[in-house]
Amino acid sequence: DQSPDTHAYRQTGHYGSKFGLSWEEAQIAARRIAQAPHLQLTGLHAHIGSQFFDLKPLFRAIDRLAALAAWVQGQGLGEVRYFSPGGGLGVPYHPDDPAPRLVEAVRGLSEYAARAWQERVGGPYSTLALEPGRSLIARAGLALYTVGAMRHLTTGQRIIAVDGGMSDNLRPALYGARYTAALAHAPLAPTAGPARIVGPLCESGDFLIDSIDLPKAHPGDVLVVPGSGAYHLSMASNYNGMLRPAVWLHARGKLIPMQRRETVADLLRRDFPLPPQ
Ligand SMILES: Cc1ncc(COP(=O)(O)O)c(C=O)c1O
């Protein structure tokens, strides 16, 4: 029952969550595994949520896992050789987010886990497994959009529509995720005031950035959104007939195609022809 400081939709370890087992359920599960002829309890796992920076809830999850391991082994129900507090380490998407401290975090977690194991379980140390997801790959991805229509509001704000949005990055619509962006040809040009970056779909929730100071933009300009390497295309959809973009790998000075852009034929490929009248 642990909750990191993150959006409620990214919490998974709280009581009443659809995920995981309560302490009592875990004890029942351990007994049932011990009684099952073809099962062996060899590891314990938790995942308390995603995209958080304060590691204290992860430390508490480690304490709980070590306490459960001590109970499992004390009851003779198994030998816990692996234990994992899951993933969730946050990455900066927006200038207000803290700087990444992946190495420090991994060091802190492994030192804490070794101590917790020693204090609560003793005996041979089990293998600690960490499950870094976005902290490894989110910053490896840049999403490129082309600027289309623009509106200038009387408040001075611009609404800039680009050729993608919630269909290739659901995170702003799903949980208000905040991003930064730059114009590819003029990343450091002076701002021309605030802009809202929106997609072309028939949803007011179809936006990428609620408000960002951007230089003057023109239709055809390329807008770059960093931090697009995780939970973007894996959540992409064809809503409103949107076509998923192509994916390129930039490695050793070369651009290598990884996925081609979708076509209308891709959208239709599961459709059956209507039966003859
Ligand atoms: C069990 C488990 N471990 C690790 C992760 C990775 O999470 P993150 O990308 O936030 O580090 C997830 C993501 O959903 C998960 O479900």
Side-chain angles (χ1 to χ4, degrees), residues 6-12 14 18-19 49-50 171 173-176:
T6 189
H7 191 282
Y9 293 0
R10 294 192 299 256
Q11 293 177 339
T12 54
H14 51 289
K18 69 173 182 174
F19 300 103
S50 279
R171 297 187 69 255
L174 192 60
Y175 30 62

Side-chain angles (χ1 to χ4, degrees):
D1 189 8
Q2 301 300 331
S3 284
D5 182 14
T6 189
H7 191 282
Y9 293 0
R10 294 192 299 256
Q11 293 177 339
T12 54
H14 51 289
Y15 185 78
S17 158
K18 69 173 182 174
F19 300 103
L21 304 173
S22 68
W23 180 265
E24 293 74 22
E25 289 165 339
Q27 289 182 320
I28 293 169
R31 287 196 198 284
R32 287 179 63 183
I33 290 171
Q35 284 159 10
H38 304 297
L39 293 178
Q40 243 187 328
L41 199 164
T42 58
L44 295 174
H45 172 264
H47 177 67
I48 59 172
S50 279
Q51 182 59 13
F52 54 89
F53 295 93
D54 178 1
L55 300 187
K56 282 195 247 19
L58 265 184
F59 293 155
R60 289 199 296 269
I62 289 174
D63 282 333
R64 297 283 277 172
L65 288 174
L68 190 58
W71 180 83
V72 164
Q73 298 193 171
Q75 299 286 315
L77 301 176
E79 193 192 333
V80 180
R81 294 199 289 273
Y82 307 92
F83 80 121
S84 171
L89 300 179
V91 297
Y93 290 104
H94 184 271
D96 289 350
D97 291 333
R101 296 191 196 284
L102 194 53
V103 174
E104 275 172 47
V106 170
R107 187 178 299 129
L109 286 170
S110 39
E111 286 173 2
Y112 190 90
R115 267 200 315 276
W117 190 269
Q118 190 53 43
E119 279 166 21
R120 288 173 187 267
V121 191
Y125 185 43
S126 91
T127 300
L128 172 71
L130 300 177
E131 298 174 346
R134 88 183 66 219
S135 56
L136 287 187
I137 54 163
R139 283 169 298 147
L142 296 175
L144 306 182
Y145 300 94
T146 303
V147 172
M150 279 183 287
R151 282 183 68 189
H152 294 263
L153 304 183
T154 48
T155 55
Q157 203 197 25
R158 291 165 291 165
I159 298 181
I160 300 181
V162 296
D163 58 350
M166 69 187 293
S167 58
D168 61 88
N169 180 3
L170 193 57
R171 297 187 69 255
L174 192 60
Y175 30 62
R178 297 194 309 160
Y179 286 85
T180 187
L183 291 175
H185 71 280
L188 302 176
T191 174
R196 181 170 159 85
I197 312 296
V198 302
L201 304 187
C202 57
E203 302 278 349
S204 290
D206 176 27
F207 70 99
L208 286 170
I209 300 182
D210 188 39
S211 182
I212 182 171
D213 282 326
L214 266 194
K216 211 165 165 22
H218 303 276
D221 285 351
V222 172
L223 187 78
V224 184
V225 177
S228 303
Y231 304 108
H232 279 224
L233 291 180
S234 54
M235 290 195 207
S237 79
N238 293 120
Y239 180 39
N240 269 190
M242 289 296 280
L243 303 173
R244 289 181 179 82
V247 181
W248 292 79
L249 174 70
H250 185 238
R252 296 188 200 93
K254 286 199 186 124
L255 275 177
I256 302 160
M258 292 181 75
Q259 277 182 343
R260 66 163 171 77
R261 185 188 294 277
E262 272 182 332
T263 63
V264 173
D266 292 323
L267 292 188
L268 302 177
R269 75 176 182 272
R270 293 190 308 133
D271 293 3
F272 292 117
L274 283 177
Q277 293 288 323

